Amino acid sequence: MPHDQPPSLPAPDATSAAHSERVAAYICERISAAGGRVSFAEFMQHALYAPGLGYYAAGSTKFGEAGDFITAPEVSSVFGGVVARQCAEVLAQTDGGEILEYGAGSGKLAADVLTALRGLDALPSAYNILEVSADLRERQEASLRERVPDLTGLITWLDAPPAASRGVILANEVLDALPVERFVRRDTGVMQQCVTEGPGGFEFVETAASARLASAVEAIEDEVGVQFPDGFISEVSLAVGDWIAGLSAALDEGVVLLFDYGVSRREYYAAERSDGWLRCHFRHHAHNNPLVLPGIQDLTTWVDFTAVAEAAVAAGFEIGGYSAQAQFLMAGGLEAEMQGFAELALEEQLELSRQVKTLTLPGEMGEHFKCMALQKGAIATPPGFSLADRTHVL
Ligand SMILES: C[S@@+](CC[C@H](N)C(=O)[O-])C[C@H]1O[C@@H](n2cnc3c(N)ncnc32)[C@H](O)[C@@H]1O
């Protein structure tokens, strides 16, 4: 079936286009099996994670200049260096502590954190990775064998979270990759955007919201103090509660560091955001149509950090801190990471300055990206949250 794409997007090459057709055929089968439509969360789940087919499950290049988007660890090793400094503080308080990374992408953050921890003489007893994509897991193994060959003995890929561990859990840009439901507020009730197959490709169809989604939307309206106007569209992550509960089951004592683009609930559901926070990325072009290029474009949603904090408290965590990425990096040891800058060659200085600007400037990743610490046990909050904690805005 043809899938019309927005005219501003580059055309996929023949191999990618053929792959996308296979993903579309798979989703069409799922739609038929479900009686003619699937929820948007189910569509997103298939488009991103269908085994061997979905965006994260198949072999395309996703991260970096040659891919579709760039994440903080891919921008600069300075990010991993600062993260490592927070890990060192926590590991020193949890005798024999481990690190568990969710969704390790290309493996860059793992390599940078381990390299920096070795430099600080603060290696963890183990570095575990939990990655849902078999393809990415293979790439992570290859990249870590190349980048930290003498530390691979510490690294294990897990199929399920450990029963209980001590130390640090890291997740950079994982929350934004969890499938979300999309709702439409009507004066007559809460509706749900489902996906069906139309003559020109996938189409949205509005149905009465499931009881769970309707009550989630009504609870948000109660909290922000208004009923959304007729036609207001946004997203709700029904998956975040279970995901955070899984983190809690995996960690007995220590700190979870979550990094992602996101805002508080009041900003998330503000009247001017009447078309939600879902974004699609294809070859560094951002757009708003999740129904095209299935399996070869990234689908992602900004994070409602109030929902994350609520789920965390319900799961037994304390909120250690919530900061913008720029403040987190500055308080967490950016200056120490820049030691030796003066000795670099001019070209290297320019490149490092460019990287740090991308990580910290408000118009780049400095303000929209947030870091949240969730804690358990008698552990001091890592220094990255000491400069401008914004927990009060959640
Ligand atoms: C946007 S990418 C970020 C990758 C990497 N952390 C980085 O910053 O470059 C999202 C990652 O999360 C993984 N992922 C998604 N859902 C997950 C889950 N429930 N558990 C573990 N990993 C997950 C994806 O396969 C992918 O590796």
Side-chain angles (χ1 to χ4, degrees):
M1 72 192 249
H3 291 268
D4 296 333
Q5 63 185 68
S8 60
L9 290 180
D13 60 46
T15 313
S16 301
H19 180 78
S20 187
E21 287 299 312
R22 283 194 292 280
V23 180
Y26 174 88
I27 298 176
C28 287
E29 278 169 28
R30 302 271 79 74
I31 289 175
S32 288
R37 61 173 185 253
V38 292
S39 73
F40 182 72
E42 193 179 333
F43 173 86
M44 189 166 167
Q45 174 71 30
H46 295 318
L48 295 182
Y49 304 110
L53 287 171
Y55 179 75
Y56 283 111
S60 69
T61 301
K62 298 159 231 327
F63 313 103
E65 303 294 340
D68 300 303
F69 57 89
I70 189 152
T71 60
E74 305 287 337
V75 168
S76 177
S77 294
V78 163
F79 180 79
V82 174
V83 171
R85 287 173 188 275
Q86 318 315 302
C87 294
E89 297 283 336
V90 178
L91 292 171
Q93 299 170 70
T94 52
D95 192 26
E98 317 182 337
I99 297 178
L100 167 62
E101 183 181 357
Y102 277 71
S106 71
K108 177 78 168 33
L109 181 62
D112 287 342
V113 165
L114 281 168
T115 305
L117 285 175
R118 178 174 44 197
L120 295 168
D121 197 16
L123 282 169
S125 60
Y127 195 107
N128 297 315
I129 295 180
L130 198 68
E131 172 56 69
V132 288
S133 159
D135 172 67
L136 283 178
R137 181 171 161 158
E138 272 179 32
R139 288 166 187 242
Q140 290 157 15
E141 286 183 31
S143 133
L144 287 162
R145 264 200 309 274
E146 195 185 313
R147 294 206 56 211
V148 282
D150 48 336
L151 296 176
T152 50
L154 289 178
I155 308 170
T156 307
W157 280 263
L158 305 179
D159 294 321
S165 65
R166 282 176 302 148
V168 182
I169 296 182
L170 300 174
N172 189 62
E173 291 205 30
V174 178
L175 281 165
D176 71 75
L178 299 180
V180 289
E181 295 293 4
R182 262 168 86 81
F183 69 87
V184 188
R185 192 31 146 145
R186 297 287 173 205
D187 289 340
T188 47
V190 180
M191 305 296 283
Q192 173 163 6
Q193 281 196 332
C194 289
V195 179
T196 188
E197 187 186 353
F202 293 119
E203 290 175 1
F204 278 124
V205 55
E206 227 175 274
T207 63
S210 67
R212 191 171 169 215
L213 178 60
S215 67
V217 173
E218 283 157 10
I220 292 166
E221 289 180 331
D222 279 350
E223 206 181 307
V224 297
V226 285
Q227 181 177 311
F228 301 130
D230 189 73
F232 184 91
I233 296 178
S234 195
E235 293 83 25
V236 173
S237 174
L238 297 180
V240 77
D242 284 349
W243 192 75
I244 298 277
L247 301 184
S248 179
L251 192 74
D252 257 4
E253 184 187 39
V255 176
V256 179
L257 295 175
L258 302 172
F259 303 90
D260 229 308
Y261 30 88
V263 291
S264 69
R265 175 163 295 152
R266 284 195 177 275
E267 294 167 86
Y268 205 92
Y269 296 104
E272 61 272 21
R273 293 305 300 213
S274 57
D275 196 29
W277 295 83
L278 182 74
R279 292 292 170 270
C280 315
H281 297 273
F282 181 67
R283 305 280 178 264
H284 294 275
H285 290 254
H287 69 101
N288 288 347
N289 188 348
L291 303 183
V292 298
L293 304 171
I296 57 170
Q297 71 170 351
D298 186 30
L299 308 181
T300 172
T301 331
W302 284 47
V303 174
D304 167 2
F305 271 105
T306 305
V308 175
E310 284 174 355
V313 169
F317 285 112
E318 278 174 43
I319 310 302
Y322 171 63
S323 288
Q325 181 168 288
Q327 275 81 39
F328 168 78
L329 292 174
M330 283 187 260
L334 179 60
E335 207 177 318
E337 287 298 309
M338 299 298 278
Q339 263 178 17
F341 182 83
E343 283 80 58
L344 294 176
L346 180 62
E347 268 182 24
E348 291 171 322
Q349 286 186 341
L350 291 173
E351 174 54 20
L352 187 53
S353 303
R354 186 195 65 76
Q355 293 174 4
V356 171
K357 280 183 189 164
T358 304
L359 291 176
T360 57
L361 285 181
E364 301 268 359
M365 295 175 134
E367 172 64 24
H368 298 319
F369 283 71
K370 307 292 193 314
C371 178
M372 180 175 266
L374 313 179
Q375 299 187 193
K376 266 197 188 176
I379 301 283
T381 303
F385 299 91
S386 59
L387 193 58
D389 181 30
R390 298 190 189 178
T391 308
H392 61 280
V393 305
L394 292 170

